[in-house]
Amino acid sequence: MGDGLRLNMNALDYLILALYFVTVLGVGFAARRAIRTSVDFFLSGRSLPAWVTGLAFVSANLGALEIIGMAANGAQYGIMTVHYYWIGAVPAMVFLGIVMMPFYYGSKVRSVPEYLRLRFNRPTHLLNAISFAVAQVLIAGVNLYALALIMQLLLGWPLWVAIVIGAFIVLVYITIGGLSGAIYNEVLQFFVIIAGLVPITVLGLVKVGGVSGLMDAVRGSKLGEAGLHAWQGTGSTDNPLGAHWLGIVFGLGFVLSFGYWTTNFAEVQRALSARNMSAARRTPIIAAYPKLLIPVVTVIPGLIALITVKGLGAESGDLVYNNAIPLLMRDLLPNGVLGIAVTGLVASFMAGMAANVSGFNTVFTYDIWQAYFKRDRSDEYYVRVGRIATVVAVLIGIGTAFIAAGFSNIMNYIQALFSVFNAPLFGTFIIGMFWKRMSALAGFWSLLSGTVVALGTYLLYRAGVIDFNSDLEESFWGAGLAFVTVAVVAAIVTPLTRPKGADELTGLVYGLSDTTLKDDSLAGDAAWYRSPVLLGVIAVVLAALFYIPVF
Amino acid sequence: MADDADRYQHGEAHDPLVDETEDAREARSAAARLFDIRRVIGGLFVVYGLIVGLMGLFDSSAEIDKAQGVRINLWAGLAMLVFGLLMLLWQRLRPTEPPEPHTADER
């Protein structure tokens, strides 16, 4: 890699970046005074309004591989990339808000693994808590490495300097400000990311002659007409994504996305910090609206880069698809908006890493340390444990980042490896929530066997024993098989084992208690525009309508 | 710790660990002291808008050419300034009502 991507940052661009760092740290320090109990530290005292938790929810997902990766997918697969948003995210987010959140928020669990402890048993809980905790610290490291890589490429900072600075800032604002520090910064990050991406999109569209100019140019590119359609050509796998519509609907739209969005504590945590049930249910649904529109500033720049950057799509070097957005920044942005765009990218990496770290410290403290090691300590003790866990998580993250720096493929593997855990988890949750007879032991064996099947499919594919058209197809099939395994094992084991009593399950499963808990609604929550069901239905309808022009 | 009967009106499953932290929160949470993030967002965007907008006023023709003839700094600066001011205005018009201590909001 030469100096091909170095940006001409001037002093004012650096001032913009520096102001951002100072603000982020200031938010962490200012959030400190609102922390007295462990729930204040890990769940913002369950006090935040829905728009804050909703934007944090979407921001926590706007991490490293999201923006860079979706622009890369836009350049490589064309419009089909919108499936990751409109069918692969929005329905699952709405489902989380409408159907699952009453169980999560209503039972007052403090984490997603904790739901498993109450619904099933401690082994199920420990299995999930450990796999989640390990995944979060490793993925935090991957995010950190991606941040450092981009800083090196764009600004010429040595890798280790970028890793240490990025890690240090996240460490400070989460250790001091807790989840409030993380969430408030995520809201800020959301707006900075958008402010950075919009000028790239606008100038790119001007350059290619507007939307119609872009469409003409895509037809003449190597993607051709297929690059402009989301569903046409999905009757077979002969399309840019190499995916059949069945795979898109059931694999991506159902098993993969529901697995990610509904059981990933790094996301769900944002909703648990909302101030009441209504706000908690609206959190993922409010997040669905920006999610609907984000492809405008990721997929479209990807297509613009495909057209305007000659030779994009190289196997290695500066012209890999992943550099679509950095290349556009270099070619289009003058100083000023350039500083904003760099800050936006840095913000996105920090948002991703902070979500992992804040998810980790909560699960480590409540689900591992408190549940299995030191049970009867004071509430303040667990705040201290949380702070120490944050420091340890960031240090391990730095270690992972340096390992990833040595083996660049390792980060792809880590991501793919842990996505393997989501589908069986979702299967266990959804069956456990809606089938109250499902026994505790069935929960454990379902989760374990589903995970083994998903992991086995992945490893056999990697080793070349089984063959799929693409990585994506592998993940559809792996997730689908895992889901079926969970269901089959649950159906076999449940009749053979003892059920849990109704008194142990009230509030945790569908049909026991109407989940109308203590009414915690605030004045104004009854307004139609605060109805989770209505907002959710509108989001899904919009997602369907958005497909029409790009069918 | 004593269970809070009101929390489980419908006899929901109890868990001692959950109860302990919820009791601590209800008794001592300091979350009401959290500041309003709209002020920070508004402030940062006003500053960004001023910096970028002023740079836009003095952009050279080379910079404008690079941006496809669009005075992008000026427009982006203005947009960020307006957005920042709107955030501050929203915060002024609809200040957060501090969440009441949780023991007090039972009906």
Side-chain angles (χ1 to χ4, degrees):
Chain A
M1 266 179 251
D3 287 348
L5 267 164
R6 278 291 287 284
L7 302 174
N8 265 319
M9 295 271 284
N10 69 15
L12 285 168
D13 291 324
Y14 274 112
L15 174 67
I16 290 170
L17 184 61
L19 277 175
Y20 172 74
F21 285 154
V22 170
T23 310
V24 164
L25 290 174
V27 166
F29 279 100
R32 177 187 190 139
R33 58 198 292 269
I35 295 171
R36 205 180 296 145
T37 70
S38 68
V39 179
D40 292 345
F41 185 77
F42 294 114
L43 295 173
S44 299
R46 300 195 196 262
S47 68
L48 298 176
W51 74 272
V52 168
T53 53
L55 290 180
F57 190 96
V58 75
S59 207
N61 166 257
L62 274 180
L65 301 171
E66 177 65 19
I67 290 178
I68 298 282
M70 285 301 157
N73 286 343
Q76 193 171 358
Y77 306 123
I79 288 292
M80 289 189 87
T81 309
V82 300
H83 289 314
Y84 286 101
Y85 295 88
W86 296 342
I87 194 166
V90 169
M93 293 160 92
V94 169
F95 184 84
L96 171 65
I98 293 180
V99 179
M100 293 175 75
M101 197 53 70
F103 301 113
Y104 280 143
Y105 195 88
S107 62
K108 291 283 179 235
V109 292
R110 302 163 298 173
S111 70
V112 167
E114 188 156 83
Y115 178 87
L116 291 175
R117 183 166 64 82
L118 301 190
R119 171 63 186 85
F120 299 112
N121 53 18
R122 288 161 73 89
T124 322
H125 171 240
L126 192 59
L127 178 66
N128 178 235
I130 289 177
S131 68
F132 176 81
V134 172
Q136 293 309 297
V137 283
L138 293 184
I139 293 174
V142 169
N143 273 317
L144 193 56
Y145 172 62
L147 166 73
L149 212 54
I150 212 88
M151 305 273 265
Q152 183 190 42
L153 203 61
L154 299 183
L155 309 180
W157 295 14
L159 217 47
W160 70 269
V161 172
I163 288 179
V164 170
I165 290 184
F168 175 76
I169 292 178
V170 171
L171 171 76
V172 169
Y173 78 72
I174 298 186
T175 313
I176 293 175
L179 187 69
S180 305
I183 284 188
Y184 269 12
N185 274 321
E186 280 161 5
V187 177
L188 181 66
Q189 280 149 359
F190 172 79
F191 291 113
V192 176
I193 293 166
I194 299 300
L197 290 175
V198 167
I200 300 175
T201 312
V202 170
L203 294 180
L205 279 175
V206 171
K207 184 166 184 177
V208 297
V211 173
S212 60
L214 177 67
M215 289 169 71
D216 287 342
V218 171
R219 284 192 191 99
S221 73
K222 59 182 161 186
L223 275 175
E225 183 69 27
L228 293 174
H229 296 287
W231 291 107
Q232 264 179 36
T234 56
S236 67
T237 54
D238 182 24
N239 53 56
L241 204 54
H244 194 273
W245 69 268
L246 278 169
I248 295 171
V249 173
F250 292 103
L252 180 64
F254 184 58
V255 187
L256 281 182
S257 85
F258 278 64
Y260 175 81
W261 290 101
T262 63
T263 61
N264 182 353
F265 180 57
E267 292 290 338
V268 175
Q269 187 176 22
R270 272 79 202 138
L272 295 186
S273 70
R275 62 182 166 193
N276 64 2
M277 175 70 91
S278 168
R281 295 183 70 194
R282 275 180 283 137
T283 295
I285 297 170
I286 287 174
Y289 286 85
K291 193 74 185 167
L292 280 168
L293 295 172
I294 287 172
V296 174
V297 291
T298 55
V299 180
I300 290 183
L303 286 172
I304 292 167
L306 175 72
I307 292 158
T308 61
V309 181
K310 292 221 162 28
L312 185 72
E315 286 291 313
S316 61
D318 286 342
L319 292 176
V320 294
Y321 282 120
N322 267 337
N323 285 344
I325 287 208
L327 284 162
L328 289 181
M329 286 163 61
R330 181 195 65 182
D331 292 346
L332 295 171
L333 299 184
N335 292 113
V337 283
L338 181 64
I340 300 283
V342 168
T343 307
L345 271 189
V346 171
S348 90
F349 289 107
M350 285 195 175
M353 181 183 175
N356 299 136
V357 171
S358 57
F360 169 86
N361 67 18
T362 308
V363 165
F364 177 82
T365 306
Y366 281 152
D367 293 294
I368 297 177
W369 198 253
Q370 189 189 32
Y372 298 97
F373 291 93
K374 299 271 188 235
R375 205 183 156 116
D376 293 314
R377 297 300 178 94
S378 70
D379 197 56
E380 293 82 12
Y381 171 81
Y382 298 110
V383 178
R384 278 202 303 281
V385 172
R387 290 204 156 110
I388 295 167
T390 309
V391 176
V392 172
V394 172
L395 290 179
I396 299 175
I398 292 176
T400 319
F402 279 110
I403 296 171
F407 312 86
S408 62
N409 278 334
I410 224 169
M411 55 190 272
N412 297 333
Y413 294 144
I414 290 179
Q415 289 273 345
L417 195 61
F418 286 110
S419 73
V420 152
F421 288 79
N422 284 330
L425 189 58
F426 170 66
T428 311
F429 265 94
I430 202 69
I431 297 172
M433 272 180 186
F434 286 92
W435 188 32
K436 62 180 180 233
R437 173 67 180 82
M438 185 175 179
S439 67
L441 274 176
F444 177 75
W445 289 110
S446 288
L447 184 61
L448 186 63
S449 56
T451 308
V452 168
V453 166
L455 196 61
T457 318
Y458 175 75
L459 293 177
L460 288 176
Y461 168 67
R462 280 275 159 234
V465 180
I466 5 180
D467 196 37
F468 292 104
N469 279 334
S470 62
D471 288 3
L472 191 67
E473 212 193 33
E474 186 282 326
S475 52
F476 291 165
W477 279 101
L481 285 174
F483 189 85
V484 172
T485 308
V486 168
V488 170
V489 172
I492 294 172
V493 176
T494 294
L496 305 174
T497 45
R498 200 169 51 82
K500 281 195 103 161
D503 54 323
E504 293 175 284
L505 292 178
T506 320
L508 297 169
V509 296
Y510 181 78
L512 279 177
S513 128
D514 46 8
T515 67
T516 50
L517 291 152
K518 177 178 81 179
D519 183 11
D520 60 358
S521 59
L522 297 163
D525 277 353
W528 62 269
Y529 57 86
R530 289 193 184 176
S531 155
V533 175
L534 182 70
L535 289 174
V537 169
I538 294 175
V540 172
V541 169
L542 281 178
L545 290 178
F546 283 6
Y547 269 123
I548 293 174
V550 294
F551 187 82
Chain B
M1 289 267 167
D3 278 342
D4 179 348
D6 289 329
R7 198 183 304 141
Y8 301 104
Q9 279 183 347
H10 298 266
E12 279 78 6
H14 293 226
D15 180 76
L17 297 182
V18 175
D19 281 347
E20 272 169 36
T21 50
E22 279 296 300
D23 287 342
R25 174 179 76 89
E26 293 185 0
R28 301 186 298 112
S29 173
R33 300 167 71 192
L34 204 54
F35 60 97
D36 192 325
I37 187 64
R38 287 175 294 184
R39 246 181 288 170
V40 178
I41 298 171
L44 186 68
F45 271 82
V46 166
V47 174
Y48 277 179
L50 290 176
I51 295 176
V52 174
L54 283 175
M55 288 174 83
L57 279 182
F58 301 107
D59 267 346
S60 67
S61 58
E63 275 156 333
I64 295 175
D65 284 348
K66 184 181 184 188
Q68 311 302 310
V70 181
R71 299 201 69 136
I72 190 72
N73 275 336
L74 197 57
W75 289 113
L78 271 178
M80 288 191 287
L81 183 63
V82 169
F83 172 78
L85 291 173
L86 284 177
M87 268 283 162
L88 293 176
L89 186 70
W90 179 27
Q91 196 259 325
R92 180 66 63 85
L93 293 180
R94 299 276 301 271
T96 36
E97 21 355 331
E100 321 113 79
H102 279 264
T103 38
D105 77 341
E106 275 163 36
R107 302 183 200 168

